[in-house]
Amino acid sequence: MVTTIALTGLATAASVVALTLTAHGTAPLPLEWGNGPLTVAALPRITYVAHRGGAHEVPENSMAGLMAAYRRGTAQVLDFDTRLLRDGTPVVFHDETLNRTTYLGGAVRGLDAREWQGVRLRPRDVLPGSWRSERPPTVAEVLDRFGGRIVLMLEAKDPRSLDRLAALIRARGLTRSVFVNSNDPRVARRAHRLGLLTQLWRSARQMRTDRPERWRSYVDLLDVDHRARDADLVRAVNSGIARVWAHTVMTDTQRDRVLELGCTGVITDAPGRLARIAERESWQAREAREVAQRDARRAFQRGARP
């Protein structure tokens, strides 16, 4: 049962981000992907992640927020959370209930895909800039919009969704482009067996007794709490797991500490403020470059000099 918390005129004025949906199971890869989508192999030595899209800078887990983080170019990975609707549709949402971030109340799992069309996010007043209300996207929509253009990180809040998430990722050829995150090593092991990139996050309390070297055969990314003790962070860094990134970093001091202790990634709600990028490419420049690359490929395919 979903109960209305606030009735506003925003529902009629809400702007839903236009999506270009493609049948990835049958269609060829987009031209700008070249021979395939962008994968984790393209990540820099120090990686910045926009946590929930950068929740201190944009509306969390929203299509507009993810697009803003992508266009700003201050993060190389976009993070978002996933929940499962009543009919099994995976959607982009953090909480079990609608209350905190939308104009409705009730359990997310109480809705089906048709009812989800009526949900509208409630942007926080403290966010910089001006944001319109919009529908939270489905996981398929986010994969279709960003998959292959930037590395993605999704948290499977409901372990039952893992098979469906795996099917969506595989159908789009994104198994090397999307990290699947959980706090449960058993879920990480299942994700690995499904051929996915696995991410395991741990709290500072859990890290006190963790033996992360036990997970290195099936965990691709260890996501550690920046509040952990130095010794626990160093143990994670030396575990043999290829990537150790710290969450959720909010200050320069926190960032500098985890990098000095050996972490190679920063998961932050404020990527625009924390990311150290010597030369940021604007989204306009990036799109112009992609158009030029596409035109060159088309010219080459026609037998002309690009």
Side-chain angles (χ1 to χ4, degrees):
M1 174 67 69
V2 177
T3 57
T4 301
I5 289 179
L7 297 175
T8 74
L10 287 174
T12 56
S15 172
V16 179
V17 175
L19 302 172
T20 303
L21 303 181
T22 56
H24 288 269
T26 56
L29 292 173
L31 285 173
E32 62 266 25
W33 285 10
N35 294 323
L38 182 75
T39 72
V40 294
L43 292 175
R45 186 179 65 85
I46 301 298
T47 300
Y48 285 85
V49 181
H51 180 240
R52 304 186 200 174
H56 276 214
E57 299 173 345
V58 303
E60 68 174 71
N61 287 315
S62 68
M63 187 66 83
L66 292 169
M67 176 55 71
Y70 171 75
R71 286 179 167 177
R72 290 169 182 171
T74 52
Q76 297 81 47
V77 180
L78 298 181
D79 164 80
F80 58 96
D81 301 286
T82 71
R83 292 278 177 186
L84 209 59
L85 298 184
R86 184 178 70 235
D87 61 4
T89 302
V91 295
V92 177
F93 209 77
H94 180 274
D95 298 356
E96 291 185 358
T97 69
L98 299 163
N99 302 56
R100 180 176 65 88
T101 58
T102 82
Y103 294 98
L104 300 176
V108 173
R109 66 173 179 269
L111 301 178
D112 61 22
R114 181 184 61 80
E115 293 165 330
W116 191 251
Q117 298 296 316
V119 177
R120 292 293 180 269
L121 293 169
R122 186 176 67 238
R124 295 189 302 149
D125 293 337
V126 297
L127 289 174
S130 178
W131 301 93
R132 293 181 177 180
S133 180
E134 61 178 284
R135 173 179 57 80
T138 65
V139 172
E141 288 169 341
V142 170
L143 294 179
D144 286 334
R145 185 65 186 86
F146 298 103
R149 295 177 179 273
I150 189 169
V151 172
L152 299 172
M153 171 190 293
L154 65 84
E155 182 171 355
K157 290 289 189 182
D158 188 339
R160 297 173 303 169
S161 67
L162 198 55
D163 288 336
R164 290 182 181 270
L165 292 172
L168 291 172
I169 292 167
R170 286 198 299 260
R172 290 158 175 77
L174 298 173
T175 55
R176 303 301 299 170
S177 306
V178 180
F179 288 106
V180 177
N181 189 14
S182 174
N183 181 242
D184 188 340
R186 295 168 298 180
V187 175
R189 187 188 293 273
R190 275 189 60 211
H192 175 75
R193 290 173 177 169
L194 288 169
L196 305 174
L197 287 172
T198 61
Q199 175 180 349
L200 181 66
W201 74 267
R202 306 298 283 172
S203 69
R205 177 173 293 183
Q206 289 171 323
M207 290 173 64
R208 286 177 174 267
T209 55
D210 279 347
R211 296 183 60 184
E213 66 276 4
R214 294 179 173 180
W215 306 322
R216 62 188 174 196
S217 64
Y218 60 88
V219 170
D220 298 289
L221 166 58
L222 185 57
D223 176 353
V224 295
D225 191 336
H226 79 86
R227 296 169 298 182
R229 301 175 302 183
D230 284 9
D232 296 335
L233 286 170
V234 170
R235 185 166 63 251
V237 167
N238 294 332
S239 65
I241 296 173
R243 295 176 176 86
V244 179
W245 298 354
H247 75 265
T248 301
V249 176
M250 292 304 301
T251 69
D252 293 349
T253 300
Q254 293 167 358
R255 176 202 58 207
D256 293 346
R257 171 176 172 261
V258 298
L259 294 180
E260 287 170 2
L261 290 174
C263 294
T264 57
V266 175
I267 301 169
T268 176
D269 285 341
R273 184 168 59 82
L274 287 188
R276 285 179 172 172
I277 298 179
E279 205 171 311
R280 294 176 182 170
E281 182 181 38
S282 71
W283 71 268
Q284 295 98 332
R286 182 188 307 168
E287 290 188 353
R289 174 172 53 79
E290 290 177 350
V291 168
Q293 291 173 342
R294 180 194 63 199
D295 291 344
R297 291 190 184 96
R298 286 176 175 172
F300 180 79
Q301 290 168 353
R302 292 195 300 266
R305 292 177 61 87

